[in-house]
Amino acid sequence: MYIAGEAVHGDAETFHGENPADGSLLEPAYQNASGKLVARAAELAEEAFETYRAAPVEQRARFLELAADEIDAVGAAAAERAHLETGLPMARLTGEVARTTGQLRLFATTLREGSWNGARIDRAIPDRKPVRRPDIRTRRVPLGPAAVFAASNFPLAFSVAGGDTASALAAGCPVVVKAHEAHPGTSEIVAAAVTRAVAAAGLPAGVFSMVYAHGPTAGVELVQHPSITSVGFTGSRAVGLALVAAAAARPVPIPVYAEMSSVNPVFLLPGRLSAAADDVAAGFVGSMTLGAGQFCTNPGIVIGIDGPDLDRFVARAAEAVGEAVPAPMLTKRIASSYRAGAEWLAEHPGTLVVARAAAPAGRRGAPPS
């Protein structure tokens, strides 16, 4: 991991990345951080805050561009490692590298443009009735160090140098990233790139740290550390709510910006369904199976009016599911949760399973149903 510019070995449990296609463990081994190391990263971020917040806008913008350049330079290696650790296709991951660096450059452009700071002057009106208006001057200012929790399903664009990290750094907030355990090698490559950019930009080393830490306890400790002033999280509802509760329980509560699981409803409008039931069904199944169903836009429930058109939709969707080729899911835990959820739904009174794809031999995937 990287703590304030230094490559650091953890002092807790050892773990490996895992190839989800065959379950094999990937080298090298990594070590999680204890609460002591996580706290150290947060404290160094706080030490860097005043200098970083006062840095000229151009210096912060150039830092973001340097980070994008460094990630581009190792983009092929990062995509290859992410492919091994996630099973996601190379085309998707190559695009994700571009999205990651594009976000960083976009924030650099926004920084230079300047409207983000919301500067406003409401001049005094001393003789206003019934009461005078005081002179009020406002602008947005950075709060302090941010904790960012990397996502499992976007090993680059919502991970170590993803949107949450880029936005916090652009705002003038140092960042401590808790890397996702499913892609430690990818995280290491990207964290090293950002660390080089911090040094090249002449900024305090504590502006960026990336740690590996196991379980919800470590995450709660990070959120509750007094140096942390905001949280960015992408992941499961259970973990997200635990972090929200931890942030709210602090003596001074802090904001948690959480993108958690959702049930995305799809409403089948009668006119469209009558005209194109087959096309709508094909598009629905394509969205449902995209990325093995692990996108946040995955449709969770379909609502339609009973009748022949809905029957046509269901029949065509069932065919498309049967034709779908299952892919490895990102982690054992995700695959296990999927299977448990599918079994629970199948046993629920009134549920009719209309289609299920067969899992290819030798893959630790879960077939869509």
Side-chain angles (χ1 to χ4, degrees):
M1 65 191 87
Y2 285 83
I3 297 179
E6 294 186 24
V8 177
H9 289 290
D11 55 357
E13 309 90 347
T14 299
F15 70 102
H16 289 78
E18 183 176 328
N19 187 331
D22 58 16
S24 61
L25 298 181
L26 301 170
E27 295 295 338
Y30 291 87
Q31 278 187 285
N32 285 307
S34 65
K36 181 179 179 181
L37 277 179
V38 172
R40 178 66 176 156
E43 289 159 4
L44 290 170
E46 184 178 22
E47 288 179 15
F49 173 54
E50 290 299 335
T51 301
Y52 186 51
R53 75 183 296 185
V57 164
E58 179 57 33
Q59 187 179 15
R60 294 213 308 264
R62 185 61 188 141
F63 161 48
L64 296 176
E65 291 171 337
L66 287 169
D69 293 344
E70 290 284 354
I71 294 169
D72 274 338
V74 296
E80 289 171 5
R81 180 68 186 197
H83 175 63
L84 289 175
E85 291 180 328
T86 67
L88 294 171
M90 282 297 297
R92 146 80 189 274
L93 294 166
T94 301
E96 205 176 313
V97 171
R99 178 175 176 178
T100 303
T101 56
Q103 290 171 162
L104 288 162
R105 294 187 176 103
L106 176 63
F107 277 110
T109 300
T110 302
L111 263 175
R112 292 189 176 104
E113 184 271 333
S115 63
W116 54 272
N117 69 18
R120 176 173 174 170
I121 299 175
D122 292 320
R123 298 195 179 278
I125 305 177
D127 56 352
R128 190 182 70 170
K129 305 298 183 183
V131 294
R132 66 179 293 274
R133 188 177 82 180
D135 185 276
I136 300 174
R137 305 183 180 212
T138 60
R139 68 183 179 96
R140 297 189 180 98
V141 297
L143 292 172
V148 171
F149 290 77
S152 64
N153 59 341
F154 281 85
L156 292 153
F158 284 86
S159 187
V160 171
D164 286 344
T165 297
S167 61
L169 292 173
C173 299
V175 172
V176 178
V177 177
K178 180 181 178 294
H180 199 283
E181 66 273 12
H183 32 80
T186 309
S187 299
E188 180 186 13
I189 292 170
V190 175
V194 177
T195 298
R196 290 192 295 271
V198 172
L203 293 168
V207 163
F208 174 81
S209 293
M210 184 276 290
V211 299
Y212 306 112
H214 177 67
T217 301
V220 168
E221 288 177 352
L222 178 58
V223 169
Q224 291 188 326
H225 193 282
S227 297
I228 298 299
T229 60
S230 64
V231 179
F233 171 81
T234 303
S236 71
R237 184 171 183 268
V239 174
L241 290 179
L243 298 182
V244 169
R250 290 173 44 139
V252 178
I254 61 173
V256 177
Y257 304 94
E259 181 184 355
M260 298 181 284
S261 60
S262 62
V263 177
N264 299 310
V266 176
F267 291 87
L268 302 177
L269 302 182
R272 179 61 179 162
L273 198 60
S274 176
D278 289 354
D279 291 343
V280 173
F284 163 72
V285 173
S287 180
M288 182 178 70
T289 59
L290 183 66
Q294 298 164 120
F295 274 80
C296 56
T297 53
N298 176 263
I301 186 170
V302 178
I303 299 170
I305 297 173
D306 196 14
D309 294 333
L310 183 60
D311 291 341
R312 274 201 303 135
F313 169 87
V314 171
R316 179 64 190 103
E319 290 178 8
V321 166
E323 296 163 359
V325 178
M329 304 195 87
L330 291 163
T331 67
K332 286 180 178 178
R333 186 169 66 248
I334 291 174
S336 176
S337 296
Y338 173 84
R339 292 190 185 97
E343 291 170 3
W344 179 84
L345 286 170
E347 295 171 359
H348 195 277
T351 298
L352 173 64
V353 178
V354 296
R356 184 186 294 270
R363 273 191 169 177
R364 195 195 70 216
S369 62

